[in-house]
Amino acid sequence: MRVLLLSFALSLLLSTAAAAGQVEGPARATRLATAPQDTLKPLVANSFSYPTGVAVGADGSVYVVDTDNSEIKKISATGQVSSLAKHGFTYPTGVAVDASGLVYVADAGSRSIKKITPAGEVSTLIERGLDYPAGVAVTANGTVYVVDAGREPNTGAVRKLTPGGRLMTLARGFNKPNGVAVAADGTVYVADTDNNCIKRISPAGEVSALVGASLNRPAGVAVAADGTVYAADTYNNSVQKISPAGAATLLATGFTYPAGVAIDASGAVYVTDTGHSALRKISLAGAVATLVEGTVGTAASAPTDK
């Protein structure tokens, strides 16, 4: 089915890859709609083209995967948008940042994980053992978690790279997963996109469903210090707030295929509103503001099953 990558896809790039016998990831949504009206004027216009992953650094800087431009953008705490890195990526999707400012990127097109220094130097951290890396997370001790969408339905996995450089599989059997986040207690949360649910993996490796039913192809996922989980409920065009017990409540709506979510130190939530090529911020009171607006192209066909 044509679904949003986060149910991700490599549009033309992956079509070419498929013709060459390479694996194709999930397809992405293309329908656009009228952007929601915010009370705040966007800080910068024409900055993104299909933004997907998002992460927030310790200093308040926000990092966005500008997928169609094969670029990682950085938005400072004062709202200045700059290019952190724009070379060395094939089709970047997910992003994470550690306390030192090192940025990790899931580059789905090259089936690798890239690392970027604060100076913008790009290197390859993982280049083997991945099928379709869609999301990435990093913990305080430097452990890197990767959600791998897999080659076929229900072959998605969560992989773990230890600080010592050992790559292992933490869990398998997800259906085109896209997002991953790790709580302070070691619990891993996964947006199991095509199973329409958020799953959690305990520190002991036990997989269970945190919430499902009401979700429609969730993509990004983030977890706060208190264990509250936030999910980009992509095909419901909303962001959901989920308690540690699994109770889901609507945090905000009015998006068009939201993809990535991240939380800053104050508890504000950042969302890549992919259908509008925009970065939005949800305040603690639930107000939605547009931080950065991008270039929105002509709408193509709406997502359809095939």
Side-chain angles (χ1 to χ4, degrees), residues 218-233:
V221 63
V223 59
D226 65 356
T228 301
V229 173
Y230 297 85
D233 192 4

Side-chain angles (χ1 to χ4, degrees), residues 233-254:
D233 192 4
T234 305
Y235 269 56
N236 282 328
N237 297 313
S238 65
V239 174
Q240 302 286 340
K241 180 179 179 181
I242 307 163
S243 74
T249 57
L250 179 66
L251 180 66
T253 190

Side-chain angles (χ1 to χ4, degrees), residues 116-208:
I116 311 172
T117 69
E121 298 173 351
V122 181
S123 61
T124 300
L125 181 65
I126 306 174
E127 60 184 346
R128 296 178 181 175
L130 302 177
D131 290 321
Y132 193 92
V136 62
V138 60
T139 65
N141 72 352
T143 301
V144 176
Y145 292 81
V146 180
V147 64
D148 190 340
R151 294 174 178 270
E152 301 292 340
N154 298 308
T155 63
V158 175
R159 312 203 190 272
K160 174 181 174 180
L161 181 70
T162 68
R166 181 185 176 194
L167 182 65
M168 62 184 71
T169 298
L170 190 63
R172 298 179 182 272
F174 303 100
N175 195 4
K176 301 297 181 183
N178 284 291
V180 62
V182 185
D185 67 356
T187 302
V188 178
Y189 294 89
V190 181
D192 194 3
T193 304
D194 280 10
N195 279 330
N196 299 312
C197 68
I198 303 298
K199 289 184 178 173
R200 59 186 165 192
I201 308 169
S202 73
E206 299 173 348
V207 180
S208 60

